[in-house]
Structure formats: structure tokens, C-alpha cells
Amino acid sequence: MDTEVSEEFWQGIDQFNQGEFYACHDTLEAIWIEAPMFEKKFYQGILQIAVGLYHLGNHNWRGAVILMGEGLNRLREYQPEYGGIDVEQLIDDGSELLSKIQAAGADRVAQIVLTADPPQDGDDRIFLHPPMIQKR
């Protein structure tokens, strides 16, 4: 990947980190279409994680688990850093979240809430911290 990453790429990363997963998908898909073959898997990995998180927000447990797993696997060859982001950290955080989603199970998907700041009361929902894409 060129050392220069496009402004659109960083826009997609910001959208991801703000929980705007559908917008992130749209932004990065436009880059993915034009990318050289080796870079395609990098963009596709991030896209699939974003779409998996979008599915999670729509209570589609199966879609979330499948797409997050595929996205994380696609990113493995780009560790530890690629395109100015900490791929290793994204994989670690995404894998931890995926394990918690799998443990919650499909029948509890509607209780899952992605948030960095869970409430302190006795809420019966499952509060999980979404992965963040860190710049390197």
C-alpha cells in the first residue's frame, strides 16, 4: 500500500469508530473496488467487520458472527500494522468481541448493546465494547 492513504480511507475509519458501520461500508467499498489485488483483502476485512457489526445492531446474530469472523481472518496477513492502522490491535479487540457475541448466543442477540460506557445499574442487557481502529 502506498504510504499515502486517501482521505476517503480515513473518513471510513472515522465512520467505523463512530459506530456508523453502514456508512463505513459504503465509503470503503468505493476504495476497495479500485484497489490493487493485495490491498483488496485489507479493505474487505475492515468492510466485513463493519457489516458484521451492522448486522449485530439489527439483531442478526448469524450474519454478525460470520462476517466478523471472515473479516478478522482476512486481516491476519496484514499484521502488525498496515495502511497506517494497528491491525494487530483490531484483530485482538475484534476477536474478543466476537467470542463474547458467540457466548451470548443467537437467542440473546437482542440484548446486546455496543457501547464504550455501559450503565452501572442492574440492566439485563449485554453491554459490549465495540472495537476501535487505532492509527499507528
Side-chain angles (χ1 to χ4, degrees):
M1 177 178 253
D2 297 333
T3 54
E4 281 289 315
V5 256
S6 71
E7 190 174 313
E8 290 81 16
F9 174 73
W10 293 117
Q11 177 185 353
I13 298 306
D14 288 342
Q15 290 166 331
F16 184 102
N17 286 340
Q18 293 170 18
E20 299 170 6
F21 302 117
Y22 194 84
C24 170
H25 168 269
D26 287 347
T27 300
L28 294 184
E29 185 176 50
I31 300 169
W32 169 74
I33 289 170
E34 301 295 323
M37 190 53 88
F38 181 73
E39 291 178 20
K40 281 188 180 290
K41 284 179 65 177
F42 173 71
Y43 294 120
Q44 189 176 25
I46 297 171
L47 284 165
Q48 287 180 312
I49 295 169
V51 173
L53 293 168
Y54 178 77
H55 281 308
L56 184 63
N58 289 320
H59 305 158
N60 177 353
W61 183 86
R62 186 173 186 276
V65 168
I66 289 171
L67 283 167
M68 285 186 65
E70 288 178 359
L72 291 166
N73 284 332
R74 279 197 185 5
L75 291 177
R76 294 205 187 281
E77 69 186 272
Y78 299 95
Q79 294 181 84
E81 179 270 332
Y82 190 80
I85 68 166
D86 189 339
V87 175
E88 187 171 35
Q89 188 66 53
L90 176 58
I91 290 172
D92 288 348
D93 294 346
S95 296
E96 182 180 334
L97 176 63
L98 178 57
S99 292
K100 290 176 180 178
I101 294 167
Q102 290 170 320
D107 29 328
R108 295 185 64 205
V109 69
Q111 293 174 286
I112 297 174
V113 177
L114 292 178
T115 181
D117 299 312
Q120 298 300 317
D121 62 6
D123 201 316
D124 66 342
R125 294 177 291 172
I126 303 166
F127 295 97
L128 301 177
H129 192 281
M132 300 293 283
I133 298 176
Q134 306 293 321
K135 294 180 183 179
R136 260 205 154 168

